[in-house]
Amino acid sequence: MDKLYEKVSFDISRLVTARYSTSFSVGARCLSPRIRQAIYALYGFVRLADEIVDTFHGYDRRTLLEEFETEYRVALRRGISVNPILNSFQLTVRRYNIDGGLVDSFLGSMKMDLEPISYDDSKLRQYIYGSAEVVGLMCHQIFVDGDRHEYERLKPYAMRLGAAFQKVNFLRDLRSDILGLHRVYFPLLREEGITEGVKERIIDEIYGDFAMAEKGIKQLPDCARLGVYTAYLYYLSLTKAIGRTPAEKLMRRRVRVSDRKKLLLLGKACLTSKFL
């Protein structure tokens, strides 16, 4: 493959990351340069799939997602794609020998978002695994550079961190998910509504995920620890902000962490990650 096109492909994935998520972009910049491009490629792939199901209203989203999946599989087989996002991702999958089953599970969860679903505990676990835990596992394969022993050893922690991030996103995006996309992910919300008690039970579960994940962050290789710890601190701060917000207000506004707070968290991560 032409090296210029390869570079452009990764540059476009980096641009997608920067435009869609300043928080993720900051975390990625804290990673070692040798793995940063691969993480941008991964984010670009999952973001594009997520945009298809979440924002491409007025179009045949199912067909678009099916075409996206087909184009990815063709790109992986050929070793190239004229879609720069897919090109950088297939290069990353090949370079780090990312498990194809993880990609399949992710795409499966994206398909679940195409139709309204009443989530029970089993379906919620399936969705969170495919939409978040496998993303953490794909990142983890990049972090350990394909070392199977290290991957298996730290796998449970990566899954719990991905699950925590997704559950926080569910609470943060409650209004747009329920009113805009007609999705209620937590069975508790459908059964009991958004009350303080329900919110606290969900947040307690999230804190349990974070406590487990932190143990794994401490064991990550140097190339990844600071970046992951930065993201962990940001989402932990967001969880605390949601906890301080009255339950009924979560349906009226989207809780966020200020840019000033994000900078403070980045500084804290830089100062403390080396002592984890």
Side-chain angles (χ1 to χ4, degrees):
M1 182 186 300
D2 179 78
K3 290 298 180 183
L4 178 58
Y5 179 59
E6 182 176 321
K7 181 180 184 305
V8 167
S9 296
F10 281 103
D11 284 348
I12 290 175
S13 292
R14 176 175 54 79
L15 179 63
V16 167
T17 305
R19 289 291 185 269
Y20 276 99
S21 177
T22 55
S23 302
F24 191 92
S25 186
V26 168
R29 287 200 296 271
C30 294
L31 299 170
S32 167
R34 73 176 177 82
I35 63 171
R36 203 177 294 156
Q37 281 193 326
I39 296 300
Y40 288 141
L42 172 55
Y43 183 89
F45 176 80
V46 301
R47 171 50 61 186
L48 194 52
D50 197 52
E51 287 302 304
I52 290 172
V53 300
D54 280 358
T55 68
F56 288 14
H57 305 297
Y59 300 93
D60 186 343
R61 295 176 300 148
R62 183 173 298 279
T63 297
L64 288 172
L65 186 61
E66 288 172 353
E67 290 174 350
F68 179 77
E69 179 177 0
T70 298
E71 288 175 28
Y72 161 67
R73 299 196 187 286
V74 170
L76 188 63
R77 186 175 68 250
R78 289 177 175 169
I80 194 170
S81 173
V82 295
N83 179 324
I85 298 292
L86 293 179
N87 192 53
S88 64
F89 183 62
Q90 66 85 18
L91 285 168
T92 299
V93 170
R94 287 167 166 267
R95 163 66 178 81
Y96 292 94
N97 196 28
I98 290 176
D99 186 350
L102 299 178
V103 181
D104 293 345
S105 293
F106 169 75
L107 292 170
S109 283
M110 293 300 98
K111 292 170 187 174
M112 292 174 73
D113 272 338
L114 290 170
E115 301 293 341
I117 294 178
S118 294
Y119 284 87
D120 56 22
D121 290 334
S122 176
K123 286 182 180 177
L124 180 62
R125 284 195 297 271
Q126 178 188 350
Y127 181 82
I128 289 177
Y129 174 75
S131 66
E133 293 179 11
V134 299
V135 177
L137 291 176
M138 286 189 277
C139 288
H140 185 44
Q141 285 194 287
I142 294 168
F143 296 157
V144 300
D145 199 13
D147 185 320
R148 200 67 198 176
H149 177 267
E150 281 298 282
Y151 173 77
E152 292 296 336
R153 187 175 72 84
L154 297 176
K155 178 178 178 179
Y157 306 108
M159 292 175 68
R160 292 292 288 274
L161 185 62
F165 286 176
Q166 184 64 292
K167 292 170 190 176
V168 175
N169 287 341
F170 287 159
L171 286 178
R172 180 196 62 189
D173 299 334
L174 208 58
R175 174 182 170 82
S176 59
D177 281 343
I178 293 176
L179 299 182
L181 299 173
H182 309 292
R183 298 174 190 159
V184 181
Y185 289 108
F186 293 111
L188 275 174
L189 293 180
R190 188 178 62 255
E191 295 163 4
E192 302 181 30
I194 178 62
T195 66
E196 280 300 314
V198 166
K199 186 191 74 173
E200 289 174 5
R201 286 159 67 183
I202 294 171
I203 287 179
D204 284 346
E205 183 179 303
I206 292 170
Y207 280 135
D209 289 331
F210 276 134
M212 176 70 169
E214 186 181 17
K215 297 176 182 178
I217 293 172
K218 294 177 180 179
Q219 303 175 63
L220 283 173
D222 291 343
C223 66
R225 191 181 308 117
L226 175 58
V228 177
Y229 188 56
T230 299
Y232 162 85
L233 288 180
Y234 165 70
Y235 269 89
L236 189 60
S237 179
L238 182 56
T239 304
K240 292 175 181 176
I242 291 172
R244 293 190 298 268
T245 303
E248 69 275 8
K249 286 190 177 181
L250 294 178
M251 285 297 293
R252 298 205 298 268
R253 66 181 178 89
R254 189 177 192 260
V255 178
R256 64 183 298 272
V257 176
S258 69
D259 291 340
R260 179 178 179 276
K261 179 68 172 177
K262 289 176 184 177
L263 286 175
L264 291 173
L265 292 172
L266 175 59
K268 178 181 178 180
C270 292
L271 288 172
T272 61
S273 65
K274 64 184 70 175
F275 301 112
L276 291 177

